[in-house]
Amino acid sequence: MKKSIKIILLAGIILGIIIYCVLKNNNHTISDIKTTENDVSLSIKENTLTTSSATLILKNNSNTEIQYGNSYEIEIKHNKKWYKLDGEMYFTLPLFFLEPNKTVELEVNWEYGYKKLKKGTYRIIKEIKIEKGNNTFDSFYVAAEFTIQLEII
C-alpha cells in the first residue's frame, strides 16, 4: 500500500515538472485581439495551407472601400483561449485598397518569423481600416481559423 502511494506521488511530481517545462517553453501571451464578423471576411483558399504558408482570401462584401496592409499575426488556441505566437515578422508598409464587393487573394509565408507550425488550431489575423471622413478611420480585425493536422518535416 505504501509503495503504491509513493509511486502515485512520484508520478504526480514528474507530471508537474513536465507541465511546468511545457508551459515555460511555450510562454505565449493571451491575445487581446477581438475579431468582428461583418461584411468583410478572411478565409484560407482550399488546398493551399501548409505548415509554413497559405493563400488568404479577403472578401469585401460591404458597400465601402476598405484598406489593409501586408501585416498579419498568427495565434494558437489552447483550452478555448487564443494566445499570441512568439516570432518576429517584418513587413513592408504599403497600403492596399479593396473596392466594395471585391475579393483579393494574398500569399503569406510565415516560416521565417514563426517557423513551421506544429499540429494545432490557429488563426491568422489582419487589421482592416475604413475611412470615416476627415482623414479618420475605423479599424477592426478579421481572422481565418485553421488546423494543422500533421507535422511535416
Side-chain angles (χ1 to χ4, degrees):
M1 180 76 167
K2 285 186 177 187
K3 188 174 183 178
S4 61
I5 292 174
K6 287 181 183 179
I7 291 173
I8 291 172
L9 284 174
L10 182 60
I13 291 170
I14 291 171
L15 181 61
I17 291 170
I18 291 171
I19 290 172
Y20 171 78
C21 291
V22 168
L23 291 175
K24 185 176 179 185
N25 289 333
N26 292 319
N27 193 12
H28 302 303
T29 306
I30 293 178
S31 174
D32 59 354
I33 294 177
K34 305 290 183 227
T35 59
T36 58
E37 293 191 22
N38 55 31
D39 293 333
V40 179
S41 65
L42 187 66
S43 60
I44 295 183
K45 185 176 181 179
E46 196 171 332
N47 298 320
T48 66
L49 177 64
T50 72
T51 57
S52 59
S53 65
T55 300
L56 305 178
I57 300 173
L58 180 61
K59 289 184 183 179
N60 180 7
N61 291 325
S62 74
N63 58 4
T64 306
E65 181 178 73
I66 64 170
Q67 301 174 13
Y68 63 95
N70 283 331
S71 63
Y72 60 88
E73 289 185 49
I74 297 180
E75 297 179 343
I76 188 166
K77 193 176 201 178
H78 286 296
N79 297 323
K80 299 182 183 179
K81 291 183 182 176
W82 290 105
Y83 293 86
K84 296 177 183 280
L85 282 184
D86 295 329
E88 288 192 39
M89 297 290 289
Y90 300 97
F91 300 98
T92 57
L93 297 176
L95 183 62
F96 301 103
F97 299 88
L98 187 57
E99 295 176 6
N101 300 307
K102 297 287 183 181
T103 299
V104 65
E105 290 187 5
L106 309 168
E107 304 286 333
V108 293
N109 185 321
W110 52 77
E111 186 171 4
Y112 71 90
Y114 291 115
K115 310 290 184 230
K116 289 186 177 188
L117 300 180
K118 296 179 180 175
K119 185 177 178 179
T121 300
Y122 298 87
R123 68 178 178 176
I124 189 164
I125 303 165
K126 287 195 70 62
E127 182 179 19
I128 306 296
K129 295 185 183 228
I130 296 178
E131 188 170 6
K132 295 185 339 185
N134 299 329
N135 282 335
T136 59
F137 296 86
D138 275 339
S139 292
F140 59 93
Y141 295 93
V142 293
E145 191 172 319
F146 61 95
T147 301
I148 300 293
Q149 298 289 344
L150 301 173
E151 294 182 36
I152 302 169
I153 298 174

